[in-house]
Amino acid sequence: MLSVTEQMKVIRRGAVEILVDNELEEKLRQAAQHGKPLRIKAGFDPTAPDLHLGHTVLIQKLKQFQELGHEINFLIGDFTGMIGDPTGKNETRKQLTREEVLANAETYKEQVFKILDPDRTRVVFNSSWMGPMSAAELIALASRYTVARMLERDDFHKRFSGQQPIAVHEFLYPLVQGWDSVALEADVELGGTDQKFNLLVGRELQRQTGQRPQTVLTMPLLEGLDGVNKMSKSLGNYVGISEAPREIFGKLMSIADPLMVRYYELLSDVDLATLARVQRGVSGEADGWHPMEAKRALARELVARYHGPDAAASAEHDFLQQFRQKEIPADIPVLHLTADGPVWICRLLGEAGLAESNGEARRLIQQGGVKLNGEKLVDADLEVEALGELILQAGKRRFARVIFQP
């Protein structure tokens, strides 16, 4: 097992906050002295069947704890999933049926073992202790927290101030998540920054029941392919881990260089020295890793993780072959665009930075200097369907990849 100092370097990688830092160091020292690993917990509500890279940020941190020799508790919130996490919501979430939750839970188990070692991971369901709880016991749990404390939570406060309804069962969500930590006697709980309130409830409930309060470690919410918004299926800026290898590879090659550093830090297995080299490359330093090569390596690593090394090699070959055949550079600017309907080609050229005005765009098309997906354009009034992605070319060397988002 690594020293406490070395372990803390690994644990701090990508983390936003550790509450409380010196408590965790003491827990690590005691674990080393007694030869007893820490009990690490992270909970996932199976509210959708598929995971995307944003979900895997926490799982990657679990893997780091696992490689440090600690016990991993992958908690599937089949009970909390039926309540629905109110975090970040401005209205009451639709409750899932038991059947929907269990079906999604099965897919989660299959997907997480592409990252975690199944032989060293304890998969637990919070229905195993919440299901048998009597009504009287649930009321006793509810008595441990006041409504005033619940309304300190930002999303509840906003809904209350805006006279938006808050269902009583939503107040139970943070309490049940916190009670999970009591049931598991967790030493450390991981969660996104949006889960901080819930994580601290677990810490408080452990204190009330005489347990040593868990350390809370928050991880950032991964930006999607647009580099701005949280990765989300509803925004169309996601990379699903069950998507086809070529799709994953192509999406990752489309991310902006600065975002690549973030993806490396939160998703990759590279060591800290390699991460620093990636950062230097994006900054343009001579001893850095060229962004294009680093991006290809990241795409290879993640495709290999979810589909195997042969699939990663094939996806990379297909990607490079596609651009060679069209004589298109692999490293071209990417424009993420949201549109309600078809987009005028001249406007599209302007948005992509390939023309300074609609007039210039029209002249370029009329002179035969514009290609759309490798085909020369002749109609300056063309309306382009806002679906999928396309390659624009103006002149011989100016290109842009346009990715339409729903």
Side-chain angles (χ1 to χ4, degrees), residues 77-91:
D78 57 332
F79 189 90
T80 41
M82 291 187 291
I83 298 174
D85 186 359
T87 302
K89 301 299 177 184
N90 57 15
E91 60 184 14

Side-chain angles (χ1 to χ4, degrees), residues 247 250-251 253-254 319 322-323 326 328-339 341-354 365 370-375 377 382-394 398-405:
E247 188 74 9
K251 284 184 174 182
M253 291 301 295
S254 76
F319 178 84
Q322 173 189 352
F323 281 97
K326 294 182 178 180
I328 298 172
D331 191 13
I332 62 177
V334 178
L335 169 67
H336 294 272
L337 192 63
T338 301
V343 182
W344 182 32
I345 185 61
C346 292
R347 178 201 155 193
L348 202 55
L349 287 165
E351 294 271 5
L354 299 180
I365 293 170
V370 174
K371 290 182 179 180
L372 174 63
N373 292 332
E375 300 294 328
L377 287 182
L382 176 69
E383 296 284 331
V384 179
E385 290 295 327
L387 297 171
E389 61 180 80
L390 52 85
I391 302 293
L392 283 173
Q393 178 180 353
R398 298 170 63 209
F399 296 88
R401 179 194 293 268
V402 179
I403 300 175
F404 289 106
Q405 299 172 174

Side-chain angles (χ1 to χ4, degrees), residues 6 15 90 100 130 135 148-150 167 184 201 216 238 249 275 280 289 307 309 338 352 390:
E6 291 301 313
N90 57 15
E100 288 172 322
M130 291 306 304
R149 288 292 304 277
M150 286 295 179
L184 292 172
V201 171
V216 166
Y238 71 100
F249 199 98
L275 177 59
R280 292 196 301 272
W289 198 359
H307 293 283
T338 301
L390 52 85

Side-chain angles (χ1 to χ4, degrees), residues 8 16 32 40 43 70 74 79 105 129 140 152 165 170 179-180 245 250 274 312 325 328 343 349 366 369 376 380 387:
M8 287 299 295
V16 174
I40 315 299
H70 299 291
F74 185 89
F79 189 90
W129 50 85
E152 291 174 3
E170 294 182 88
W179 196 253
D180 293 343
T274 304
Q325 288 175 349
I328 298 172
V343 182
L349 287 165
Q366 291 172 342
K376 185 177 292 187
L387 297 171

Side-chain angles (χ1 to χ4, degrees), residues 41-42 58 189-196 199 216-220:
K41 167 205 171 192
L58 288 184
E189 182 173 13
L190 314 182
T193 51
D194 58 343
Q195 292 289 318
K196 182 176 177 179
L199 302 176
V216 166
L217 186 151
T218 60
M219 295 295 293

Side-chain angles (χ1 to χ4, degrees), residues 17-236:
E17 195 171 15
I18 299 176
L19 299 168
V20 178
D21 200 285
N22 60 353
E23 284 184 11
L24 179 56
E25 291 186 15
E26 180 58 27
K27 289 176 182 178
L28 291 170
R29 272 191 288 271
Q30 291 180 9
Q33 289 171 3
H34 300 293
K36 184 179 179 181
L38 296 183
R39 188 168 295 167
I40 315 299
K41 167 205 171 192
F44 298 82
D45 283 352
T47 52
D50 297 314
L51 299 176
H52 56 60
L53 291 183
H55 297 124
T56 70
V57 171
L58 288 184
I59 306 173
Q60 187 68 10
K61 181 58 67 177
L62 286 176
K63 178 184 180 183
Q64 291 169 8
F65 272 104
Q66 189 171 68
E67 291 177 342
L68 291 173
H70 299 291
E71 177 188 308
I72 301 305
N73 287 265
F74 185 89
L75 186 143
I76 295 179
D78 57 332
F79 189 90
T80 41
M82 291 187 291
I83 298 174
D85 186 359
T87 302
K89 301 299 177 184
N90 57 15
E91 60 184 14
T92 302
R93 293 181 66 151
K94 175 191 172 185
Q95 289 180 257
L96 298 179
T97 66
R98 176 74 178 162
E99 290 71 24
E100 288 172 322
V101 167
L102 291 178
N104 293 343
E106 283 303 311
T107 67
Y108 276 31
K109 287 169 65 178
E110 295 171 7
Q111 294 170 71
V112 299
F113 291 139
K114 293 179 182 291
I115 303 174
L116 299 174
D117 181 347
D119 295 328
R120 295 191 293 151
T121 303
R122 183 182 175 210
V123 178
V124 290
F125 294 79
N126 61 3
S127 64
S128 62
W129 50 85
M130 291 306 304
M133 185 177 281
S134 68
E137 290 171 323
L138 189 60
I139 291 171
L141 174 58
S143 72
R144 292 181 176 275
Y145 237 71
T146 67
V147 171
R149 288 292 304 277
M150 286 295 179
L151 290 177
E152 291 174 3
R153 207 172 105 157
D154 186 56
D155 41 23
F156 282 153
H157 178 73
K158 287 178 179 177
R159 286 165 63 181
F160 182 74
S161 300
Q163 298 185 335
Q164 295 293 318
I166 303 172
V168 173
H169 78 284
E170 294 182 88
F171 282 152
L172 292 175
Y173 189 95
L175 288 170
V176 174
Q177 181 174 332
W179 196 253
D180 293 343
S181 295
V182 174
L184 292 172
E185 299 183 15
D187 294 306
V188 180
E189 182 173 13
L190 314 182
T193 51
D194 58 343
Q195 292 289 318
K196 182 176 177 179
F197 181 93
N198 295 352
L199 302 176
L200 291 175
V201 171
R203 186 174 164 88
E204 175 61 24
L205 291 179
Q206 285 180 307
R207 183 182 289 112
Q208 290 181 20
T209 55
Q211 292 184 14
R212 180 173 64 172
Q214 65 185 12
T215 299
V216 166
L217 186 151
T218 60
M219 295 295 293
L221 305 179
L222 184 69
E223 297 88 345
L225 298 174
D226 55 10
V228 177
N229 298 298
K230 171 186 171 183
M231 185 173 286
S232 166
K233 276 197 168 184
S234 62
L235 295 176

Side-chain angles (χ1 to χ4, degrees), residues 305-326:
R305 178 181 298 166
Y306 301 117
H307 293 283
D310 290 343
S314 178
E316 181 177 22
H317 175 269
D318 290 347
F319 178 84
L320 296 175
Q321 191 72 9
Q322 173 189 352
F323 281 97
R324 287 194 188 106
Q325 288 175 349
K326 294 182 178 180

